[in-house]
Structure formats: C-alpha cells, structure tokens
Amino acid sequence: MGPDLRLKWIVCIMVGIQFLAFYLVKDLDWKWVLFWTYAFGSCINHSMTLAIHEISHNTAFGNNKATWNRYFAMFANLPIGLPYSASFKRYHLDHHRYLGGDGVDVDIPTEFEGWFFCTRFRKFIWIILQPLFYAIRPLCINPKPISQLEVTNLVCQLTFNFLLYMLWGAKPVVYMMAGSMLGMGLHPISGHFIAEHYMFLKGQETYSYYGSLNLLTFNVGYHNEHHDFPSIPGCRLPMVKKIAAEYYCDLPQYTSWVRVLYDFIMDDTLSPYSRIKRKLKGDVKQE
C-alpha cells in the first residue's frame, strides 16, 4: 500500500499531451477533428478518468496529503471537460464500502434502466449513453448536498473550458467534450464498465481482466484485486495477483473488453438488471 510515485508525473504528461492536441486540432477540417476525437482523444480522456479513479484512492500523494490529491484530481480533470472529479471521489468510496448497496452504490443501474434497456438494440443504445446515465444516476439514487470541493471543481472546469474556447476556438472544445463522451460510451476501453460487476456467471459479482488494455487504464482490469486492496495503487496490483495467485488465478476472468460488450448486447439473459443488489443494514456511513 502507499502512493504511486510515478502517477503524478504520468498524469502531468497526459495533460500536456492533450493540451498539445487542443492546439493541433484547432486548424483541422471538422472531419479530421472528429476522426482524431475518437481515434485518440477518447482513449486518452478515458484513461484520464481512470487516473482520477487512482487519485481518488489517494495514490498520487498518499493519505496524509488527501487535500493535495483532491486538487490534483481537478487538474487531471481539465482536459476531460466535464467537472466530475470531486463528485466521483464521494460516490466511489461508497461503492467500495457498500458494493451493490441499494440506494447507496450509484454504480447500480436504476429500475428504469433495467426495465427499458432489455433488448439487443436498446442495450446497444444504453452502452452508447453510459456517460449520461453515470452523470444522472447519482441524482436519482443517492443525491448528496453539494460540497465546496465540487463547487471549486465546477468553477475551475468552466473557466478552463471558456479560456480554451476564447484562445483556440470551438474545435478543441468539441474534441475535448466529444472525446470524453465517446470514450466512455461505445469504445473498447469502456468494456470495463460492464466487465467489472455484471453477472455473466450467476453468483460471480466481480471479474478481472488481465489483457493489454490495462496499460492504458492504470490496471483497472485487476478488479478483484482492487476491491480486495483498494489502497494498493494500480501499478502494484499485478504483484498482488502474483503473490496470492491461488486466490485469483482460478476465478472467472475476461480476455477481451470488446468481447464483453458484444456478449452483453447479444446475450438475451443479460441486461442492466444483471447486478447483485443488497439491502443494507445497520449504520451506513457515506462520504
């Protein structure tokens, strides 16, 4: 356990790459803006959301500098365009404490999602609209009072978006915003949203993926390992699997996130309802 000493430098490089991309796309034709948005911007922006996931566990500066982690997450949030890092932190820790908790874990789809998105075509649309549902779901399932950090996150992000538009025009803003939406929708990397906790096998709640896309996603595919040891940074999760191989190697696992998306859409027994949902008892302490 402890901070990943490389994480802050990797994030700074990724932010710098996106700033360079903003400059380069400002003079391109719109068709090339849209091409590079999906081919490149969506990948790096989705990767950046998973860097923010890492930072939410205080792995950039450690637990004794929690505030540094919160503001660094806002910095990592800038090229994504959508202010979410402060809110993500609050809800994600609830997800770890109360996995599948009814009314608490906003990773669980709503009743409407499970009822409506039940055919192959509708599940395809649901995957495309995943970013929208992840944004709306907390307001429906577990609304929380707005915090000062969330206000700061919002103001910083809107200011950055405005300055980007004033400096280089609309194309970098479209590249940024659309890249985030596309990267978290119908995209190979977004297969991890489905892969992590949807029951492809009855009774198996969490699955890991050990493929090459972990290189772009801070090892979020090592998901059983991550839920067992959320304070261990992603860069060390392969070490956890190696040390405790007898606990992880025989568990059901995925070899392709693209295949996960395909199987979820085509398998008529799977839907947004394919999750374990728990009624929580006792004192529930949320972020």
Side-chain angles (χ1 to χ4, degrees), residues 248-283:
Y248 296 112
C249 287
D250 293 331
L251 291 177
Q253 57 191 254
Y254 298 115
T255 57
S256 168
W257 279 337
V258 174
R259 182 59 187 267
V260 167
L261 293 173
Y262 177 82
D263 288 347
F264 180 80
I265 292 169
M266 301 304 293
D267 190 336
D268 293 332
T269 66
L270 294 171
S271 76
Y273 272 140
S274 302
R275 292 290 299 266
I276 292 178
K277 192 174 182 179
R278 298 177 173 86
K279 290 290 184 183
L280 298 176
K281 299 178 181 179
D283 186 19

Side-chain angles (χ1 to χ4, degrees), residues 13-34:
I13 291 170
M14 291 170 67
V15 171
I17 289 172
Q18 279 297 67
F19 283 10
L20 176 61
F22 295 155
Y23 175 77
L24 293 175
V25 302
K26 70 182 178 68
D27 296 320
L28 295 179
D29 290 338
W30 276 107
K31 64 181 179 181
W32 290 111
V33 172
L34 297 177

Side-chain angles (χ1 to χ4, degrees), residues 25 32 60 76 91 102 124-125 134 140 143 154 201 216 249 255 258-259:
V25 302
W32 290 111
Y91 285 104
D102 188 17
F124 175 76
I125 298 300
Y134 268 98
C140 300
L154 176 65
L201 295 175
L216 298 176
C249 287
T255 57
V258 174
R259 182 59 187 267

Side-chain angles (χ1 to χ4, degrees), residues 19 58 76 91 140 156 158 165 169 202 235 247:
F19 283 10
N58 292 335
Y91 285 104
C140 300
C156 289
L158 292 180
Y165 174 78
K202 190 172 180 61
C235 67
Y247 292 99

Side-chain angles (χ1 to χ4, degrees), residues 35-64:
F35 171 80
W36 288 113
T37 293
Y38 190 80
F40 182 76
S42 62
C43 297
I44 197 166
N45 273 13
H46 196 136
S47 182
M48 191 65 77
T49 67
L50 294 168
I52 290 172
H53 165 256
E54 282 285 288
I55 299 165
S56 75
H57 290 284
N58 292 335
T59 55
F61 297 99
N63 290 323
N64 60 336

